[in-house]
Amino acid sequence: MAQWQMIEREQRDTLGEGTAWSAREQALYWVDILDPALNRLSLVDGKIERWAMPEPLGWVVERSQGGMIGGFRSGFAEIDLDPFAIRPIGDPESHLPGNRMNDGKADRHGAIWCGTMEIAEENAQGSLYRLDPNGEWAPMDTGYLVPNGPAFSACGRWLYHSDTGLRTIYRFALTEDGPGNWNLVDREVFARFDEADGYPDGMTVDAEGCLWVAHWDGGKVSRFDPQGKVERSIALPARRTTNIAFAGPNLDRMFVTSATVGLEPTVYDGALFEVDAGVKGLPTHTYAG
């Protein structure tokens, strides 16, 4: 395989995001936030499916017991695809009707970490939340313009999260304040993007402990070592790459989403790509609730 290849499909994403590998189904899921939909690529037979959603959907996370949890504009909800059903759980930001969710993942303890943002992207009124397996949620950090990530280190001691609008990736230490009660401390700048690099978008950590980041307006994905230095970059023909996931039985297939929003799109913008990263990823965690 060349360093990248585009996955052939009929429809491009307006804002492809939220990549999630399902080992249970041997399938890659991702969302289209602004043309609200959930996409699924089976790595068993190559079939691609798309389910329209009733409102913007920022991310999905697989549940240990089956089905999914989704981060909608109106909050957390359970999602079943066969038969199709959406059951609301709750809205952590009912007091901020102009906000929506934007990217989330489960940690190794079965909790979901996810960000919120103002749809207009004018005010830094977004937050980073943790949804615990018991269904309770809490804000863990605030003041975000456009939150992206999160990603967890291979050792489980660090959480990476970015404010795309500030071109900044942060690293937090994860500490346990009691059984199952994980909190964030010691936020530090992990990396900053120059204007030529675009903006840091979705990210994931590989099996060697390095952080892969998609470049919005940068047309590439980059691998950062644990000290925050760029180890290498892979150029892609989509200008607004958005999210990354390792997939496949051996977690050695990287997939990258992209967007058409704000562009006169080419054939590549909004496409899904498979990238030869040369490394393996970490197992995807599920929500324990």
Side-chain angles (χ1 to χ4, degrees), residues 48-66:
I48 295 177
E49 299 172 272
R50 185 177 174 97
W51 291 266
M53 292 289 148
E55 60 180 282
L57 174 64
W59 51 265
V60 292
V61 169
E62 203 171 28
R63 300 180 76 182
S64 300
Q65 66 188 47

Side-chain angles (χ1 to χ4, degrees), residues 11 15 75 100 135 261 273:
Q11 188 164 353
L15 181 51
R100 67 166 175 84
V261 61
F273 298 89

Side-chain angles (χ1 to χ4, degrees), residues 92-146:
E93 294 190 340
S94 57
H95 60 294
L96 294 171
N99 274 19
R100 67 166 175 84
M101 292 198 178
N102 189 64
D103 217 354
K105 288 187 180 74
D107 64 20
R108 59 179 178 165
H109 308 287
I112 294 174
W113 299 73
C114 59
T116 61
M117 59 177 283
E118 185 185 43
I119 295 172
E121 299 183 23
E122 295 175 350
N123 300 295
Q125 63 186 38
S127 295
L128 173 62
Y129 285 87
R130 189 188 69 214
L131 175 66
D132 292 329
N134 63 6
E136 297 180 357
W137 60 77
M140 309 305 294
D141 197 30
T142 60
Y144 286 89
L145 185 62
V146 181

Side-chain angles (χ1 to χ4, degrees), residues 1-9 19 21 26 28 30 41-46 48 212 221 234-238 241 243-258 268 270-280:
M1 186 180 83
Q3 200 157 23
W4 60 266
Q5 63 179 4
M6 186 175 70
I7 305 301
E8 293 296 336
R9 57 193 179 105
T19 51
W21 167 243
Q26 291 295 294
L28 178 79
W30 75 99
L41 167 64
S42 170
L43 296 194
V44 177
D45 58 14
I48 295 177
W212 288 85
V221 295
I234 299 174
L236 293 168
T241 57
N243 211 300
I244 308 169
F246 285 94
N250 298 316
L251 296 172
D252 57 356
R253 300 177 66 178
M254 176 187 280
F255 289 89
V256 179
T257 51
S258 64
Y268 298 111
L272 175 69
F273 298 89
E274 183 171 357
V275 177
D276 183 7
V279 293
K280 295 182 179 182

